[in-house]
């Protein structure tokens, strides 16, 4: 098996400033902390672990390239694209659109490289240059809607990659499985009326954006029933995430019959994440990866591209990522150094009644998903 892997040093240069979430401001008591939540070290450390652990030697390096203006405009408005270009040229950079998503001078080039990285990995998988692959891109993309960035996302990397697969590579049916702990509202919006793209988002219920991502959002127009949200209560853990994968997401993929599966892979469902409360361990991510690989093998010759989204634990993102990528490549992963610490923690390993109830609310919707 050949597994593609993509990283570029410029992803580690995305300057998110010295505030923790909003800019440091003495007037409101926001001290500079040196690290914004989305500081790129979370991802840079993951790349370093992939390299130092020797995993990199077992992967096929796919080069990143910037997405072109026209490729970004398949998803985004000219106004949004050109505003990012303009702010990127300012001496201190700008913001993706909501005031909590800063980027430094040259941030456009990095964001375009993130969209292009996702595109390059999907391209390599579809052309058969690799069997599957992981694009460790930064900044993330799944909150970005056509007219603006938000939630640390500038351009919707996965959406740009999916549009490329449709329009350049002729891929007919594409499923996006988003297991970032936040709702993939941007990806949902881009493909809302597209019957050829199934968007599935599993996330902590009403975390961010706080009022969306409910089971009632199911797509519209010709795309009715090709959007599926699987909101999970806080503290869902490995058992609850894997249960929903088996009972809802894999059946949804079987119903839709995609030619390609793209995973929007956040590691912010992790036990140690400072922005969420979902308690998934590295072993949980490995199991989720296995399940999606099995579904892709059954449905579309294993064609699976994983694209990095969020993940904010400086302690755990690298470990979860290295274990996920090893699983994708079918090689022995590194041991999770936190395994013993998490072994008996309540909430991670056993399914709870209230988690089952929320899963069933999504499960009944799978029957409506249209197939070929
Ligand atoms: C954006 C502002 C507060 C929460 C944050 C979420 C970013 C993210 O990881 N999205 O997937
Ligand atoms: Zn997230």
């Amino acid at each position: 098996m050949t597994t593609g892997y993509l990283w570029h040093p410029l992803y580690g240069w995305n300057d998110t400033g010295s505030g923790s979430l909003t800019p440091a401001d003495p007037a409101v008591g926001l001290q500079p902390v040196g690290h914004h939540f989305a500081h790129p070290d979370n991802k840079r450390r993951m790349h370093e672990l992939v390299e130092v652990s020797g995993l990199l030697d077992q992967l096929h390096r796919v080069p990143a390239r910037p997405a072109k203006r026209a490729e970004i405009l398949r998803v985004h408005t000219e106004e949004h694209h050109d505003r990012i270009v303009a702010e990127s040229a300012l001496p201190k950079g700008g913001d993706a659109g909501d005031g909590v998503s800063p980027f430094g001078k040259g941030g456009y080039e990095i964001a375009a490289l993130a969209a292009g990285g996702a595109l390059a990995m999907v391209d390599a998988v579809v052309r058969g240059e690799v069997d599957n692959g992981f694009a460790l891109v930064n900044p993330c993309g799944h909150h970005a809607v056509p007219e603006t960035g938000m939630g640390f996302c500038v351009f919707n990397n996965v959406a740009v990659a999916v549009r490329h697969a449709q329009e350049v590579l002729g891929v007919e049916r594409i499923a996006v499985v988003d297991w970032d702990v936040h709702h993939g509202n941007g990806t949902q919006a881009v493909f809302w009326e597209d019957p050829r793209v199934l968007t599935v988002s599993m996330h902590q219920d009403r975390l961010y954006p706080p009022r969306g991502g409910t089971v009632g959002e199911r797509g519209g127009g010709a795309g009715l029933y090709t959007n599926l949200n699987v909101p999970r209560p806080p503290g869902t853990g490995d058992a609850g995430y894997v249960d929903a994968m088996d009972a809802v997401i894999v059946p949804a993929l079987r119903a839709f019959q995609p030619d390609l599966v793209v995973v929007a892979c956040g590691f912010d469902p992790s036990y140690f994440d400072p922005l969420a409360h979902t308690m998934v361990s590295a072993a949980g991510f490995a199991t989720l990866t296995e399940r999606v690989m099995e579904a892709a093998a059954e449905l579309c010759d294993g064609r699976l591209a994983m694209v990095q989204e969020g993940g904010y634990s400086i302690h755990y993102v690298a470990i979860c990522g290295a274990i996920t990528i090893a699983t994708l490549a079918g090689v022995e992963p590194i041991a999770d150094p936190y395994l013993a610490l998490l072994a008996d923690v309540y909430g991670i390993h056993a399914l709870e009644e209230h988690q089952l109830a929320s899963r069933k609310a999504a499960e009944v919707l799978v029957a409506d998903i249209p197939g070929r």
Side-chain angles (χ1 to χ4, degrees):
M1 169 130 79
T2 310
T3 293
Y5 174 73
L6 181 146
W7 162 261
H8 192 287
L10 283 178
Y11 296 148
W13 291 20
N14 193 47
D15 187 355
T16 47
S18 61
S20 58
L21 195 53
T22 55
D25 181 355
V28 295
L30 282 165
Q31 300 159 282
V33 294
H35 280 61
H36 184 277
F37 277 106
H39 190 284
D41 272 4
N42 297 310
K43 282 137 189 191
R44 191 182 49 74
R45 285 165 50 87
M46 179 171 150
H47 169 70
E48 285 192 5
L49 186 57
V50 166
E51 180 162 4
V52 171
S53 66
L55 175 56
L56 186 58
D57 301 331
Q58 320 227 43
L59 303 171
H60 177 89
R61 205 68 192 258
V62 173
R65 66 149 173 100
K68 301 180 182 92
R69 185 173 194 272
E71 291 168 333
I72 293 170
L73 294 189
R74 289 193 184 116
V75 170
H76 292 287
T77 61
E78 285 194 338
E79 290 72 17
H80 175 49
H81 175 274
D82 294 351
R83 181 182 67 79
I84 299 300
V85 170
E87 290 191 11
S88 176
L90 299 173
K92 292 183 179 169
D95 188 281
D98 58 0
V100 301
S101 312
F103 56 80
K105 187 163 199 280
Y108 169 75
E109 280 68 26
I110 303 176
L113 195 61
L119 183 157
M121 186 56 73
V122 163
D123 190 89
V125 169
V126 172
R127 291 184 194 275
E129 290 160 18
V130 294
D131 296 311
N132 57 28
F134 193 101
L136 177 47
V137 301
N138 188 61
C140 54
H142 71 153
H143 296 310
V145 295
E147 41 292 313
T148 187
M150 61 183 278
F152 313 159
C153 306
V154 180
F155 300 129
N156 196 311
N157 308 319
V158 162
V160 169
V162 166
R163 287 290 186 226
H164 171 81
Q166 292 179 308
E167 294 180 23
V168 177
L169 304 173
V171 182
E172 273 173 27
R173 300 176 73 80
I174 302 171
V176 178
V177 174
D178 184 329
W179 74 50
D180 184 285
V181 80
H182 305 99
H183 177 226
N185 63 294
T187 318
Q188 168 179 299
V190 171
F191 299 109
W192 186 251
E193 295 194 355
D194 191 336
R196 301 163 306 166
V197 179
L198 174 71
T199 44
V200 182
S201 178
M202 173 157 64
H203 46 268
Q204 187 181 319
D205 196 3
R206 287 160 290 170
L207 178 64
Y208 182 85
R211 273 170 293 278
T214 63
V215 287
E217 298 166 10
R218 305 180 68 187
L224 185 61
Y225 305 135
T226 61
N227 183 74
L228 179 62
N229 286 323
V230 191
R232 316 301 290 122
T236 290
D238 292 10
Y241 256 50
V242 172
D243 169 68
M245 177 62 79
D246 290 342
V248 184
I249 298 179
V250 170
L253 293 173
R254 286 206 181 101
F256 185 73
Q257 301 254 314
D259 303 304
L260 166 71
V261 178
V262 180
V263 172
C265 177
F267 293 112
D268 43 16
S270 99
Y271 177 81
F272 291 103
D273 201 274
L275 285 180
H277 323 86
T278 284
M279 300 174 75
V280 172
S281 76
F285 289 110
T287 305
L288 294 176
T289 303
E290 282 168 3
R291 296 297 206 274
V292 176
M293 289 172 71
E294 285 161 16
E298 177 191 322
L299 298 167
C300 53
D301 286 328
R303 280 189 294 275
L304 169 60
M306 301 183 73
V307 178
Q308 179 69 44
E309 294 284 356
Y312 307 100
S313 171
I314 194 75
H315 308 277
Y316 207 35
V317 165
I319 295 161
C320 292
I323 289 174
T324 296
I325 295 169
T327 303
L328 188 64
V331 304
E332 187 64 34
I334 58 162
D336 179 357
Y338 296 110
L339 195 66
L341 186 72
L342 303 186
D344 299 313
V345 171
Y346 170 71
I348 297 180
H349 307 287
L351 196 62
E352 307 293 334
E353 203 56 42
H354 69 288
Q355 297 166 353
L356 205 58
S358 67
R359 175 263 269 177
K360 284 179 179 162
E363 190 179 1
V364 296
L365 307 181
V366 172
D368 295 325
I369 295 174
R372 281 180 196 281

